[in-house]
Amino acid sequence: MQHQFILRTHHVITLVLCVSASDDFDWTKNEKTSFYYGTFPTGFSWGVGSSAYQTEGAWNIDGKGASIWDSFAHRKGKIFLNDTGDSSCEGYYKFKDDVTLMKDMKLNHYRFSISWPRILPSGLKSEHINEKGIKYYDDLINLLLDNKITPVVTLYHWDLPQILQEKYGGWQNVSMVNYFNDFANLCFERFGNRVRNWITFNNPWSIAVEGYETGEHAPGLKLKGTGAYRAAHHIIKAHAKVWHTYDTQWRSKQKGLVGISLTADWGEPVDVSNQRDIEAAERYIQFYMGWFATPIFSGDYPQVMKDYVGRKSGQQGLGASRLPVFSPQEKSYIRGTCDFLGLGHFTTRYVTQKNYPSGVGDSYFADRDLAELVDPQWPDPGSEWLYSVPWGFRRLLNFVKSQYGNPMIYVTENGVSEKMLCTDLCDDWRMQYFKDYINEMLKAIKDGVNIKGYTAWSLLDNFEWDEGYSERFGLFYVDFRNKNKPRYPKASVQYYKRIISSNGFPNQREVESWKRKAVETCSSSNQLLAAAARKSQGGQEHAGMQRAWPVHDEV
Ligand code: NOJ
């Protein structure tokens, strides 16, 4: 299993696929078929995901430098309840236990990220390499491999070294391209003999829009109408550079893959018989996923982005488009820099045309000329934005197939949250979400989409960015009130285990029994959690408590 991610394809074939032409996507055909019983192709890779800032804690330990998220979260009023990731799940100390949880689930891969400032505290490779940080990731990688779990490593899950933000303006500055490349190169040098699956950036849309346009995320800049485009431009260049570095310096020795993880909601036209709605839905997707995927697969921004941002910039009286331009050399350098496409997907929107007159709050959002709607019938168990719409997943996957020449896809994130106050470990809504979304992914494979693996988001409840700890995405509940941060399995752990061990959904009788069986185990976990809560309310602090975690079947 160690090289499961990697053995799937031949690199040359992938490159050919990456630059092949796109087909037309049929917007009018939205099949919502009944549940499909069947299994995934042999060797399909099942995993869970996490990221450094969201889970590691140890924010200033063993020589780690500060990241933009450390600084942002330490500023009052930025994060819900002023929470921080200072200790989070204490993953830095508890990774051995976490690997045990993963082993018990019989996972094929684990997706985690490397904190850039943990190994390069000043951001720069030329200044100082923090060997203690390297050792942490070495130990984690070795343990995963000992347990036959393939490491899938993200190089940038949003935690830029703070000093690079202060000195250069972070992703607003093109110098990040070389600094990031140096960091990536160091990771290939130190870990690449064991790590074969690399993701350059996680969800660059969020980095650009929430970090530099709306300011809801670190570094919190509100550069409306320009900040996101500039950040994205540099991120795309940085991705391409790292891919080339791997390709020329490491690939022949290390034989790995380098991809990017794009997050995209699906956009469905409100009225499929209305051409303007279809065009608005397509714009929604092109401004979201296409913004990054089209340069990487075809060399340049989607035509519709160039048209809309260019026209709006003209109306504002600007001499040039707010959307930066790639030179012909850059286009050919960027085109085809994907060995696989990582896809994060959570939800869907209905989309319709809506004009935003120029001059009224020019922004990335206004540039798109559209409105997003939701169906109030869609289940919405946790995060405000996250409605469960499984059929949107199949639509998105088919869109990727037709737009980008059927690339190899790894689903790098998919999951659902519940609210902070929900302490019910019998998470029926999550089991339903996984069941339905994974089933739509199976249908997409039957449609011919080239999906090789799936990563549930996430292993543990963790720091959900500006929402702090108020939204729980974990398969395992983490008791954040307890300094030991004990993990408790939710029922969905058992459910996901069944999907993994059956490699899909074998038959109706069996699948229907899964929820019942999963719920049998979660009621005892609920009792344990309630007892722990009573104890802590009774003033007994848990700090230093050495009780073994109530994990998996023994609870
Ligand atoms: C995508 C992000 O990559 C991840 O960090 C986050 O927790 C999930 N979305 C859920 O919001």
Side-chain angles (χ1 to χ4, degrees):
M1 269 329 160
Q2 179 184 335
H3 306 311
Q4 196 158 22
F5 245 83
I6 186 78
L7 291 176
R8 301 300 142 130
T9 192
H10 190 278
H11 173 57
V12 175
I13 297 173
T14 312
L15 291 185
V16 172
L17 291 174
C18 281
V19 293
S20 64
S22 62
D23 296 337
D24 278 344
F25 178 79
D26 185 353
W27 288 90
T28 58
K29 190 176 133 214
N30 186 0
E31 279 180 280
K32 293 177 188 159
T33 53
S34 52
F35 197 83
Y36 178 84
Y37 289 94
T39 51
F40 284 81
T42 311
F44 190 84
S45 192
W46 297 100
V48 294
S50 75
S51 84
Y53 186 72
Q54 290 182 280
T55 54
E56 282 176 4
W59 77 281
N60 58 356
I61 298 293
D62 288 345
K64 177 181 169 292
S67 79
I68 53 173
W69 270 96
D70 292 311
S71 304
F72 189 68
H74 291 159
R75 282 160 61 189
K76 292 277 169 267
K78 296 295 174 194
I79 310 293
F80 184 69
L81 297 180
N82 289 321
D83 274 327
T84 73
D86 289 2
S87 59
S88 188
C89 308
E90 302 280 20
Y92 188 71
Y93 304 103
K94 287 176 150 337
F95 72 92
K96 291 188 182 142
D97 306 278
D98 291 339
V99 173
T100 306
L101 302 182
M102 291 184 242
K103 188 182 177 197
D104 182 69
M105 290 173 76
K106 302 214 166 45
L107 294 179
N108 305 120
H109 69 264
Y110 177 46
R111 177 183 174 220
F112 63 94
S113 77
I114 294 181
S115 158
W116 181 350
R118 193 178 291 289
I119 66 172
L120 295 177
S122 73
L124 304 190
K125 187 181 172 199
S126 55
E127 286 183 357
H128 170 58
I129 298 173
N130 181 25
E131 292 299 333
K132 285 191 177 158
I134 299 262
K135 182 173 182 314
Y136 167 69
Y137 295 110
D138 262 338
D139 291 349
L140 171 60
I141 291 163
N142 291 342
L143 191 63
L144 288 168
L145 294 175
D146 289 348
N147 286 285
K148 303 201 170 18
I149 300 171
T150 303
V152 177
V153 178
T154 310
L155 291 165
Y156 190 87
H157 204 125
W158 308 356
D159 44 359
L160 184 77
Q162 169 66 14
I163 190 132
L164 297 183
Q165 186 64 44
E166 281 168 20
K167 270 196 180 165
Y168 304 101
W171 291 106
Q172 291 301 291
N173 192 315
V174 71
S175 63
M176 287 313 102
V177 175
N178 285 339
Y179 295 144
F180 180 65
N181 185 57
D182 289 346
F183 160 64
N185 207 359
L186 175 66
C187 292
F188 297 150
E189 182 190 327
R190 295 299 192 90
F191 309 121
N193 58 342
R194 288 152 295 149
V195 173
R196 305 274 162 85
N197 307 288
W198 296 98
I199 292 167
T200 53
F201 288 91
N202 174 69
N203 192 354
W205 181 92
S206 200
I207 303 166
V209 173
E210 294 174 298
Y212 294 90
E213 172 98 16
T214 67
E216 292 157 281
H217 282 187
L221 299 182
K222 296 179 182 160
L223 307 169
K224 285 220 170 117
T226 57
Y229 295 131
R230 190 171 303 129
H233 202 65
H234 298 146
I235 289 169
I236 293 165
K237 285 185 183 184
H239 161 81
K241 178 142 193 169
V242 167
W243 185 90
H244 281 286
T245 296
Y246 191 81
D247 202 45
T248 53
Q249 296 183 38
W250 302 102
R251 191 187 296 281
S252 61
K253 271 179 263 155
Q254 300 186 345
K255 308 209 169 3
L257 301 176
V258 178
I260 189 165
S261 176
L262 305 181
T263 299
D265 299 345
W266 176 246
E268 181 71 9
V270 165
D271 174 3
V272 280
S273 65
N274 180 340
Q275 188 57 26
R276 279 154 55 93
D277 278 3
I278 292 180
E279 286 167 14
E282 172 146 18
R283 275 202 304 287
Y284 176 81
I285 294 162
Q286 297 297 4
F287 269 78
Y288 207 150
M289 176 175 65
W291 185 6
F292 302 92
T294 313
I296 289 169
F297 285 98
S298 311
D300 202 359
Y301 291 119
Q303 190 58 42
V304 75
M305 279 189 87
K306 295 199 280 187
D307 292 347
Y308 271 67
V309 185
R311 186 165 48 79
K312 299 247 174 180
S313 307
Q315 287 165 1
Q316 278 177 269
L318 300 174
S321 175
R322 285 181 276 104
L323 186 70
V325 176
F326 292 119
S327 70
Q329 290 79 4
E330 286 169 344
K331 286 181 193 170
S332 57
Y333 185 75
I334 293 166
R335 183 186 310 126
T337 53
C338 59
D339 300 325
F340 65 90
L341 177 65
L343 207 57
H345 174 74
F346 291 86
T347 193
T348 283
R349 293 287 180 270
Y350 279 117
V351 182
T352 189
Q353 155 78 31
K354 179 182 174 186
N355 281 335
Y356 282 83
S358 160
V360 189
D362 296 301
S363 71
Y364 158 86
F365 291 100
D367 285 341
R368 305 174 307 167
D369 270 352
L370 57 86
E372 300 173 32
L373 299 113
V374 295
D375 180 340
Q377 307 282 323
W378 289 342
D380 177 22
S383 310
E384 218 183 353
W385 53 271
L386 208 173
Y387 295 83
S388 174
V389 194
W391 54 260
F393 194 19
R394 182 182 181 186
R395 303 274 284 154
L396 177 72
L397 290 163
N398 272 285
F399 183 86
V400 167
K401 170 177 175 252
S402 61
Q403 281 278 302
Y404 311 120
N406 203 11
M408 178 164 74
I409 297 174
Y410 280 92
V411 174
T412 41
E413 281 183 20
N414 177 243
V416 69
S417 56
E418 65 257 350
K419 294 276 182 227
M420 166 173 61
L421 292 175
C422 174
T423 50
D424 187 356
L425 301 176
C426 301
D427 54 347
D428 189 57
W429 56 93
R430 184 171 288 101
M431 291 191 273
Q432 194 64 41
Y433 181 100
F434 280 134
K435 179 184 179 200
D436 293 341
Y437 271 75
I438 292 172
N439 199 248
E440 292 296 317
M441 176 174 70
L442 180 57
K443 290 178 192 169
I445 291 178
K446 302 284 164 209
D447 298 335
V449 185
N450 187 13
I451 311 161
K452 299 297 189 187
Y454 173 86
T455 316
W457 187 265
S458 77
L459 177 68
L460 307 173
D461 291 339
N462 57 43
F463 180 84
E464 180 56 16
W465 309 112
D466 53 319
E467 302 296 343
Y469 296 97
S470 67
E471 294 175 10
R472 295 175 172 272
F473 277 87
L475 287 160
F476 285 85
Y477 180 95
V478 177
D479 185 356
F480 293 107
R481 297 162 307 185
N482 180 331
K483 287 217 173 84
N484 259 358
K485 311 291 168 79
R487 284 79 159 131
Y488 296 82
K490 301 179 191 174
S492 48
V493 170
Q494 294 299 330
Y495 198 86
Y496 189 38
K497 260 175 92 166
R498 303 261 177 198
I499 297 177
I500 296 172
S501 62
S502 310
N503 198 29
F505 306 96
N507 60 66
Q508 189 169 1
R509 234 187 84 231
E510 200 178 328
V511 172
E512 279 174 4
S513 73
W514 288 352
K515 255 197 201 170
R516 190 173 27 81
K517 289 181 183 155
V519 169
E520 277 163 19
T521 56
C522 65
S523 33
S524 48
S525 309
N526 268 339
Q527 283 165 17
L528 276 169
L529 181 59
R534 277 196 300 275
K535 239 180 164 182
S536 66
Q537 275 157 16
Q540 303 198 8
E541 196 33 70
H542 293 74
M545 194 170 76
Q546 290 306 307
R547 177 168 62 80
W549 296 344
V551 291
H552 31 96
D553 293 331
E554 77 250 14
V555 288

